[in-house]
Amino acid sequence: MQISAAALARMIDATIDGDPEVIITGPARIEEAGSGQITFLANPAYEHHLYETKATAVLVSRDFQPRKPISPTLLRVDNVYETVSGLLQVYQQDEAAQTVRQVSQHAAVDATARLGERVRIGKFTVVSEKAFIGAGTVVLDQVFIGPNVRIGNNCTIYPGARILRDCVVGNNCILHANVVIGADGFGFLPDGEGNNQKVPQVGNVVLEDEVEIGSNTTVDRATMGSTVIRRGVKLDNLIQIGHNVEIGRNTVIAAQAGVAGSTKIGANCRIGGQVGFAGHLTIADGTNIQAQSGIARHIKEPGQALAGSPAFGYRDWIKSSIVFSRLPELYKRVAQLEKILEK
Amino acid sequence: MQISAAALARMIDATIDGDPEVIITGPARIEEAGSGQITFLANPAYEHHLYETKATAVLVSRDFQPRKPISPTLLRVDNVYETVSGLLQVYQQDEAAQTVRQVSQHAAVDATARLGERVRIGKFTVVSEKAFIGAGTVVLDQVFIGPNVRIGNNCTIYPGARILRDCVVGNNCILHANVVIGADGFGFLPDGEGNNQKVPQVGNVVLEDEVEIGSNTTVDRATMGSTVIRRGVKLDNLIQIGHNVEIGRNTVIAAQAGVAGSTKIGANCRIGGQVGFAGHLTIADGTNIQAQSGIARHIKEPGQALAGSPAFGYRDWIKSSIVFSRLPELYKRVAQLEKILEK
Amino acid sequence: MQISAAALARMIDATIDGDPEVIITGPARIEEAGSGQITFLANPAYEHHLYETKATAVLVSRDFQPRKPISPTLLRVDNVYETVSGLLQVYQQDEAAQTVRQVSQHAAVDATARLGERVRIGKFTVVSEKAFIGAGTVVLDQVFIGPNVRIGNNCTIYPGARILRDCVVGNNCILHANVVIGADGFGFLPDGEGNNQKVPQVGNVVLEDEVEIGSNTTVDRATMGSTVIRRGVKLDNLIQIGHNVEIGRNTVIAAQAGVAGSTKIGANCRIGGQVGFAGHLTIADGTNIQAQSGIARHIKEPGQALAGSPAFGYRDWIKSSIVFSRLPELYKRVAQLEKILEK
């Protein structure tokens, strides 16, 4: 890319402070940007970088007032993050297009599978019996798509993802490398002699539209019925979703969280990393849960912020945690009081 | 499947309340079941669904007394869960049989590997030098079986599982997608200059019979000797088992738990999700550990219930956790007492 | 291997107590060693095994004095661990050499990829456009190497590892099975209507030399710039490294730990299993963090030992944890004091 600051400003509806004729060749982070690059300042905590950056241009908000002289050209926009996101999309090479241009001759596509228009399939990928893949979907290399799996339009499935029999993926979904969708749920019944008898898992997993699932995350199939990930849900890496779980619309879950079987998480929740949910719970819409918390009860009131294991109100947990670090002192003080009163 | 309630009742030794001639076409969960489906009521907490379900038939226990009129045909049995499990097994399609019918021409089986009778090998699966696979075992697509690996009879190995050199898998084991058996243990020695020198890992992993391992779980090979998973152990997804660990017979471990090197866990333990064990510990038989607990000491007395990080008795931990949530109040009360006594 | 104790002693500069003519055939752990095997005693806690072992020879330190009569031949060395490590390296078969001897005819190597001297590529492995692999590197079976990936010399890449577009791997790195390097970072912007808009991730991952990464660990690519793992870092299994993270030289991280986006961990840190770091933090060099801790603030002073969630000083945390287990008692004692004072 080679574009002048003036031309770029017209594209993104920016006003310019500084030289409009400088040429921009690509994006970079403000700490790392060099000559020719454009970067951005959205978080005031990083403002000091602005006075040292070697970037040629910087995106800032309309009302930003530098406190010192600066050398790069400033492009002022209404919403810096949104503009950056849009610019990056221009830059991001279509990896799918780059690496998979057709149905590879090294793929194994069953004769009974059906592929929509413009579907591309990578090398050593398996598409099993009666699977269906919608128009425009790109399946990269070494992916497994099981029997009767149904995938929507315009999805991207990265190398090593496994989508097992009967599972359903909506439109515009992104499944990252080595994701496992539809492995058996973890269900056993004691046989009375100390052994654990496997409960067959005959349900499936349903991912609705616009779902993104991070690498090495596992979503187990339902014992019966479906494990359901609703529209717009984003799951980070290494997350465990148990059988018959339901994750509500637009909920976002950070890495290494785990949800035990049959728990239903509401819409628009934000779940921190390494959080754990017990099974058979219902969690209200808009719940925010701090990283590493443990949820062992129903959450009925929407919009709460929770923390701790077992979790309670976030602000109260902060206070309790502060006292926790002073417990030895508190213990001594109680002993001291007892001594005084014994006298 | 098309079966009348009467015919099914004979199969499962049930008595019938309602129309014995209704036709059942498949299983479903009670909240989701529709016309033609059979569901079950085992947990009294779900009884209200019974009065709303559109299922054609419902399995209940012999002594169940509905509190309202109901429309589905009831099939009464001694143990609802056991009957459901049996029925599901009838339904569960043999995925292996469905997807892998022979040794695929797209597999790479080394000339020195030996396959038992009826072994089936999927597409893009590698069976390395001198590996042995026992009769009736099904290896699905894209699996890696390393040199000198020995797998027993009637196992199912799902896509993307990796079983590295010299490891041993017993009979009737199930390894789910993207499991890694026998990666190097995590062992380093400081070289005196700040660098960490790798300790070669020359042992292996031994899985005994009837072991099931969840997707993306990792079991590291021993430094020397064997990491051992005893008969009947069930490991959920995303679990880490370190080098030289031993897991005792019939122990069940939930998702995302981790066991550091050389720890020995006893038989018939139940370990919750996200539990962590330090290394070089011995854990007694029948220990129950609450989710997210941390175990940093030997557990010598069998059959204890533990919780917390560091863990102690479960009931005491519950009580301590309740006080934890009241710590700010307790802190104030102590300050108040001090004030009174200072007067 | 067939070697006499005397010959081995000359190799490792050991002195001998006992029969120098015994023949050693291989290594084993002291609890498991049998006739013909050599084992070692480094940790005094295991000394009792020495008096029961059936091993033919045992490595001990120069100054070790047995308290009872023993049957195996003793080989005395300066540093038992170092000698064991050296011996194991002699024993460890070169798995790579054993399983992958050339560029497999079942691999898919793009015509524009470049391979250094003696590079070996396994079956069903993909090497994409313009990738570069340095001399002596061994890529095992079923690996994905994306477009423009650059891998140094003498690396070992195990089955199922995925290295996505534009990522860089240094020399002498080891990537274990099913590792994912360079999946998209987890970045979204709310669109004002409750949906989460994906922020394109256009950076990469850079692994410097001597990095080892455990199985099923994920290292996300930077939004812009690079996620950087410095020279000599060792990551265990199932770890999550977020976008734009930096891990300092020779830092060691145990299994299932997670580092959120943009956090910078210093050099020579030791991070326990299941530890979590919030995003955008800076952690000083030489920080030691206890397993399961949660780090939510900058750590500025180097060399601290920390524990807890939220974490503080390790020794203080131990004390607070002891009082935590006595909280119900403390609570009652405070109530008792109040009662006394109310009188």
Side-chain angles (χ1 to χ4, degrees), chain B residues 326-340:
Chain B
R326 297 178 188 161
L327 278 184
E329 169 214 318
L330 188 68
Y331 198 83
K332 279 181 200 154
R333 283 162 60 185
V334 171
Q336 186 64 26
L337 289 170
E338 288 170 335
K339 210 182 241 174
I340 293 169

Side-chain angles (χ1 to χ4, degrees), chain A residues 216-268:
Chain A
N216 281 352
T217 282
T218 59
V219 183
D220 281 353
R221 72 175 56 240
T223 308
M224 287 192 290
S226 298
T227 303
V228 182
I229 311 291
R230 297 263 174 236
R231 184 188 176 93
V233 166
K234 312 297 180 188
L235 303 181
D236 200 351
N237 300 346
L238 291 165
I239 289 170
Q240 154 69 357
I241 305 293
H243 50 172
N244 295 97
V245 164
E246 182 179 327
I247 310 284
R249 194 165 164 162
N250 285 338
T251 283
V252 175
I253 305 186
Q256 297 175 319
V259 185
S262 299
T263 283
K264 309 242 171 293
I265 297 181
N268 303 309

Side-chain angles (χ1 to χ4, degrees), chain C residues 7 46 64 109 217 225 236 319 333:
Chain C
Y46 294 99
F64 173 72
V109 179
T217 282
D236 201 350
K319 289 177 195 160
R333 283 162 60 184

Side-chain angles (χ1 to χ4, degrees), chain A residues 94-106:
Chain A
D94 177 359
E95 180 189 21
Q98 191 179 347
T99 61
V100 192
R101 296 203 179 81
Q102 58 202 3
V103 177
S104 167
Q105 59 179 1
H106 290 107

Side-chain angles (χ1 to χ4, degrees), chain A residues 162 198 240 309 320 333, chain B residues 142 212 237 292 324 338:
Chain A
R162 317 288 168 196
K198 182 176 176 70
Q240 154 69 357
S309 177
S320 282
R333 283 162 60 185
Chain B
Q142 300 161 327
E212 181 163 349
N237 300 346
Q292 293 193 324
F324 177 80
E338 288 170 335

Side-chain angles (χ1 to χ4, degrees), chain B residues 87-297:
Chain B
L87 273 181
L88 289 177
Q89 270 163 342
V90 172
Y91 267 95
Q92 185 164 38
Q93 293 159 322
D94 178 0
E95 181 189 20
Q98 191 179 348
T99 61
V100 191
R101 296 202 180 82
Q102 59 203 1
V103 177
S104 166
Q105 59 179 1
H106 291 106
V109 179
D110 192 89
T112 63
R114 287 175 301 139
L115 307 185
E117 290 182 13
R118 293 168 292 111
V119 165
R120 290 171 281 171
I121 307 283
K123 303 177 186 80
F124 310 130
T125 282
V126 172
V127 183
S128 302
E129 289 179 19
K130 297 184 187 167
F132 172 81
I133 302 179
T137 284
V138 181
V139 181
L140 280 89
D141 302 343
Q142 300 161 327
V143 170
F144 177 78
I145 295 177
N148 305 312
V149 165
R150 190 180 170 85
I151 298 177
N153 301 331
N154 300 314
C155 295
T156 306
I157 318 282
Y158 281 91
R162 318 288 168 196
I163 309 175
L164 297 159
R165 68 180 194 282
D166 303 327
C167 292
V168 176
V169 178
N171 300 308
N172 306 313
C173 291
I174 302 174
L175 304 191
H176 287 286
N178 289 355
V179 155
V180 179
I181 306 296
D184 282 354
F186 195 64
F188 301 92
L189 288 172
D191 71 352
E193 295 169 12
N195 304 306
N196 298 294
Q197 203 66 38
K198 181 176 177 69
V199 177
Q201 306 288 313
V202 301
N204 73 346
V205 175
V206 174
L207 311 181
E208 294 187 351
D209 297 346
E210 321 282 347
V211 168
E212 181 163 349
I213 300 192
S215 48
N216 281 355
T217 282
T218 60
V219 183
D220 282 354
R221 72 176 56 241
T223 307
M224 287 192 289
S226 298
T227 304
V228 181
I229 312 291
R230 297 265 174 233
R231 183 188 177 95
V233 166
K234 311 297 180 187
L235 303 182
D236 201 350
N237 300 346
L238 291 165
I239 289 171
Q240 153 69 356
I241 305 292
H243 51 173
N244 295 99
V245 163
E246 181 179 328
I247 311 283
R249 193 165 164 162
N250 286 337
T251 283
V252 175
I253 305 187
Q256 296 177 319
V259 185
S262 298
T263 282
K264 309 241 172 294
I265 296 181
N268 304 308
C269 295
R270 303 189 82 82
I271 313 296
Q274 299 181 338
V275 166
F277 291 86
H280 296 275
L281 301 178
T282 301
I283 309 298
D285 291 351
T287 302
N288 284 283
I289 303 178
Q290 188 71 4
Q292 293 193 324
S293 298
I295 311 294
R297 60 183 171 91

